[in-house]
Amino acid sequence: MSSINDTGGGGDRFPQWSIHETRDLLMFRADLDPNFMETKRKKLLWELISTRMKDKGHNRNPLQCKCKWKNLVTRYKGCETTDEAEVVRQQFPFYNEMQTIFSARMQRTMWLEAGGGGGASSSKKKGVVHHQFSSDEDDDLENEDISIQGEKKGRGAKRKRKTVMKGRTASSCGGELGNSIVNGVREMMEDFMKHEMEIEIQWLKCNEEREEKRRVKEMEWRQTMEVLQNERMMIETRWRENEEERKIREEIRSEKRDALITALLNKL
């Protein structure tokens, strides 16, 4: 853990760096690496990186970011030159990020060398490898003699403005890309919600149609049952009337029979 959360070259003066902080630093440093290679005065660039770190919630000043970067470069060089590279790379969790930065730097340098003139000398081509590691590790050039820097003051100011404008352009491009992604996701969510609403409306319509059919069938069944109930009551009424008439006829027949028997007995 000491190899991961090192202080970045500042001893006990600086708080330890977390893995998340270091990865954010490498991301910002990779975005501005072309600007670092174009200018020797990198103070504004490190201030820009410090500002981006603070936007991410990391309270790191430009000096801390610079020292941490130098420490990471030293560790990466050790991984590249040691015989036990694989073992060291396993202990250095940021090897892949550093390799990506320096590989992109070498590709840009080779492209510039190829575009600057096809007849470049072999010694100039060999200098590409050395140029891969040349960056703000030599920032002490900022403290050169004032008289020498006075001659280049105008060009240095222009380069600073260009560097800041490039950084702002990169930030604005990143913001526009983020906004476009957010807008795309929002449109997808809106389309998805509209689709879901249409499906729900269709389901409600189908459910209402089924409920209406059920009510119609239920009404028909109730009417049919009422008709059957009325018919049953009519049949039962008729049966009772017929049963009463039969009883009356039976009583009359019994009375007549009794009268005949009585008359016959009287004659006898």
Side-chain angles (χ1 to χ4, degrees), residues 206-238:
C206 294
N207 192 24
E208 290 178 356
E209 291 177 357
R210 289 196 298 269
E211 186 67 19
E212 184 66 23
K213 290 180 181 179
R214 187 191 65 80
R215 285 197 295 268
V216 171
K217 290 183 180 181
E218 185 176 358
M219 289 296 295
E220 292 177 353
W221 178 81
R222 288 181 181 277
Q223 292 176 359
T224 303
M225 292 303 295
E226 288 178 359
V227 172
L228 292 175
Q229 182 72 12
N230 293 332
E231 291 179 354
R232 189 184 67 80
M233 291 179 66
M234 290 177 65
I235 293 172
E236 185 176 356
T237 301
R238 288 176 184 177

Side-chain angles (χ1 to χ4, degrees), residues 6 30 47 52 56 59 71 73 90-91 99 112 147 152 160 166-167 170 174 177 180 185-186 224 257 261-262:
D6 50 37
E47 290 177 355
R52 292 187 180 181
K56 281 284 189 176
N59 188 16
N71 181 271
V73 171
Q90 293 177 1
Q91 297 176 356
Q99 187 179 35
L112 291 173
S147 60
K152 300 180 180 179
K160 286 182 182 179
K166 287 182 180 179
L177 179 60
S180 63
V185 173
R186 186 180 292 111
T224 303
R257 187 175 61 251
I261 292 173
T262 302

